[in-house]
Amino acid sequence: MKRHLISAADLSRDDAVLILDTAEEMARVADRPIKKLPTLRGRTVVNLFFEDSTRTRISFEAAAKRLSADVINFSAKGSSVSKGESLKDTALTLEAMGADAVVIRHHASGAPYRLANSGWIDGAVVNAGDGTHEHPTQALLDAFTMRRRLVGPDAGLGKDLSGRRITIVGDVLHSRVARSNVHLLTTLGAEVTLVAPPTLVPVGVESWPCEVSYDLDQVLPKSDAVMMLRVQRERMNAAFFPTEREYARRYGLDADRMAKMPEHAVVMHPGPMNRGMEITAEVADSVRCTAVEQVANGVSTRMAVLYLLLGGSEPAVATNHARTEENK
Ligand code: NCD
């Protein structure tokens, strides 16, 4: 595995399966009465968030804490960034504090790459979402969720997503989640179809390793998982569709549409959801929707990523023998 995690495209199939398998080990820790491992004791993880986040930020924080790392949370609001401090000066400050890993979310596509390749810091850089570019740990937690739901038994340990058909629906143009998922899912052997209004399909999509369709109803019966994307109003500087009602009518997932999916198929959403727009409340709250499960899986997946990048000095999870010793 590389030293940083900037793009899902950096991961080979074996890297990705190793992360998913390690995440399964981490998930087992969450079922123990004491959810903490000593693995990253004495290491420092900095969460550097220049853009709003709920799930991703608390998920990385919980992951680092469960591995016993020291965690520093830095959000641009209320820091010297609002006084105009540059990424470079912020990075030098983190380096002076001895950060072993920097988890960065930034509104500019490419900021994590710049940080990783600048020589400003020595630690590992993890991209937690950069502009409209990539969000690799979201794709990993999505793949983890799909493997558990669609591959099993034993949560599909050691296996990839070969032959599974995944449909990603909505605002693909502004979605770093969609980009990372297309890369990772393809690496894991899945077949990906994007469904979006023509105005929300990125230029150059022909070179992506996936199909594109404009007809959701036609694709649903052939999908093992349907991932709904948030319509990202904050990134829109023009009118991409006539009205919200029109969007929901053609590209939203409601109960009637969900009924067209095969019985085993799941509905996914990375959050935050626009209920009533890309997904109805009825679908969001149904047992087929994995949105809440995805959040829980995010902690285990990020634990695995931090553990593997920081090369924890002890085995991630104690062996049976060691565990017995521990309990004496
Ligand atoms: C996504 C993001 O921030 O890119 N959310 C997330 O990380 N859970 C998707 C979105 O904002 O719509």
Side-chain angles (χ1 to χ4, degrees):
M1 222 166 102
K2 295 194 175 171
R3 202 160 71 84
H4 307 287
L5 180 55
I6 306 299
S7 160
D10 294 340
L11 299 170
S12 66
R13 179 202 171 274
D14 288 351
D15 290 337
V17 172
L18 173 66
I19 296 172
L20 301 186
D21 288 353
T22 308
E24 281 297 343
E25 282 184 55
M26 299 297 179
R28 266 180 251 141
V29 175
D31 297 332
R32 295 191 199 168
I34 297 171
K35 298 181 173 37
K36 216 159 164 141
L37 294 172
T39 327
L40 295 184
R41 204 161 39 195
R43 317 293 291 274
T44 301
V45 175
V46 178
N47 288 323
L48 188 58
F49 278 68
F50 292 88
E51 206 184 66
D52 296 343
S53 171
T54 306
R55 273 153 288 267
T56 307
R57 192 175 51 75
I58 58 178
S59 174
F60 269 110
E61 183 175 352
K65 285 184 169 161
R66 284 194 192 168
L67 293 169
S68 304
D70 293 322
V71 184
I72 298 174
N73 288 316
F74 173 101
S75 93
K77 281 192 197 119
S79 77
S80 290
V81 171
S82 45
K83 299 179 188 165
E85 188 165 35
S86 67
L87 182 61
K88 177 174 181 179
D89 288 320
T90 307
L92 294 177
T93 305
L94 303 180
E95 182 60 12
M97 289 180 184
D100 294 293
V102 178
V103 175
I104 175 173
R105 168 167 287 197
H106 203 286
H107 41 81
S109 300
Y113 178 87
R114 181 84 181 98
L115 192 62
N117 294 288
S118 59
W120 300 329
I121 57 165
D122 279 336
V125 175
V126 182
N127 180 2
D130 61 330
T132 58
H133 176 228
E134 282 233 28
H135 193 356
T137 59
Q138 179 70 43
L140 284 162
L141 77 88
D142 291 338
F144 179 89
T145 306
M146 287 183 240
R147 196 175 72 160
R148 275 196 161 180
R149 288 287 198 124
L150 305 174
V151 181
D154 283 337
L157 268 181
K159 299 214 172 73
D160 61 17
L161 293 169
S162 286
R164 299 305 185 288
R165 294 159 307 174
I166 318 296
T167 303
I168 303 178
V169 187
D171 186 359
V172 179
L173 181 64
H174 300 106
S175 178
R176 50 199 180 202
V177 175
R179 276 172 189 70
S180 287
N181 261 293
V182 169
H183 285 307
L184 185 69
L185 289 169
T186 314
T187 302
L188 288 171
E191 292 162 25
V192 183
T193 304
L194 303 176
V195 181
T199 48
L200 290 173
V201 173
V203 173
V205 78
E206 315 76 53
S207 65
W208 295 21
C210 59
E211 302 286 316
V212 178
S213 164
Y214 302 101
D215 186 349
L216 183 54
D217 293 303
Q218 199 221 324
V219 179
L220 288 175
K222 296 181 279 182
S223 307
D224 297 307
V226 178
M227 186 183 296
M228 303 307 297
L229 301 171
R230 182 174 66 90
V231 176
Q232 304 203 14
R233 290 252 178 232
E234 78 279 17
R235 297 191 208 277
M236 291 186 183
N237 52 10
F240 286 90
F241 44 86
T243 61
E244 290 192 5
R245 254 178 81 117
E246 178 67 9
Y247 181 90
R249 198 178 64 76
R250 296 219 32 198
Y251 297 99
L253 191 63
D254 61 11
D256 287 346
R257 283 216 161 102
M258 187 166 68
K260 296 185 177 165
M261 293 165 43
E263 218 164 289
H264 69 271
V266 292
V267 175
M268 306 182 68
H269 197 302
M273 294 192 264
N274 290 316
R275 287 169 180 249
M277 181 89 172
E278 70 266 3
I279 190 166
T280 61
E282 193 183 358
V283 173
D285 295 330
S286 83
V287 289
R288 300 182 74 174
C289 179
T290 61
V292 175
E293 200 177 308
Q294 286 167 262
V295 176
N297 291 342
V299 178
S300 316
T301 308
R302 286 165 178 134
M303 284 172 79
V305 167
L306 290 173
Y307 168 73
L308 292 168
L309 288 181
L310 294 182
S313 52
E314 298 165 45
V317 180
T319 59
N320 280 339
H321 172 70
R323 214 176 292 153
T324 322
E325 291 293 306
E326 226 171 68
N327 294 340
K328 271 186 186 160

